Amino acid sequence: MTDSKINKKLTKKADDEAAVLHAIAAMPEPDHAMGEKLHTIITSNAPDLMPRTWYGMPAYSNGNKIVCFFRSTKKFGERFMTLGFNDVANLDEGAMWPIYFALTDLTTQEEERIAALVKKAVS
């Protein structure tokens, strides 16, 4: 890969992460604080996932497809934030498993559960 292509790829990655951080910053409280925590949990437990926005939401890609994302309560006027996983996430458990989670708070228990889900999703 040429230096030009490497620089272009690094610039895109930085721009994509900046867009995610901007989307989180634009969230109202308490979504903003929860969004920052989610971003940290996802990026620290799945460092190979690449942050980017997806329909204006913070999302994390395996380079090809979105693995997981979250959205603020204001996105669709919901009473809770949503954490979602797409079909490329390795969360299969039998014939039925959850892929969307409602979030009203992030205690240590939820943070640990999300970290485990993210690790499993990319395993």
Side-chain angles (χ1 to χ4, degrees), residues 12-13 20 27 32 44 49 56 61-63 66 75 78 81-82 84 87-88 104 107-108 114 116-117:
K12 179 172 177 13
K13 183 176 179 181
V20 165
M27 293 178 179
H32 172 79
S44 62
L49 291 181
S61 164
N62 63 10
I66 301 297
K75 181 74 176 174
E78 298 167 321
M81 284 187 74
T82 303
D87 63 328
V88 295
T104 58
T107 67
T108 302
I114 292 166
L117 283 168

Side-chain angles (χ1 to χ4, degrees), residues 31-109:
D31 296 1
H32 172 79
M34 287 179 26
E36 286 181 337
K37 283 183 183 180
L38 286 168
H39 179 72
T40 299
I41 292 166
I42 294 166
T43 56
S44 62
N45 286 282
D48 290 339
L49 291 181
M50 295 174 277
R52 59 171 280 202
T53 55
W54 185 55
Y55 298 104
M57 298 177 288
Y60 303 83
S61 164
N62 63 10
N64 253 345
K65 295 186 177 189
I66 301 297
V67 175
C68 62
F69 64 90
F70 59 90
R71 69 176 180 243
S72 173
T73 56
K74 78 174 191 175
K75 181 74 176 174
F76 296 113
E78 298 167 321
R79 63 184 177 86
F80 48 79
M81 284 187 74
T82 303
L83 171 65
F85 293 87
N86 283 340
D87 63 328
V88 295
N90 296 319
L91 298 178
D92 305 37
E93 289 182 10
M96 184 174 144
W97 58 90
I99 58 169
Y100 292 101
F101 298 87
L103 301 172
T104 58
D105 194 14
L106 281 180
T107 67
T108 302
Q109 183 178 1

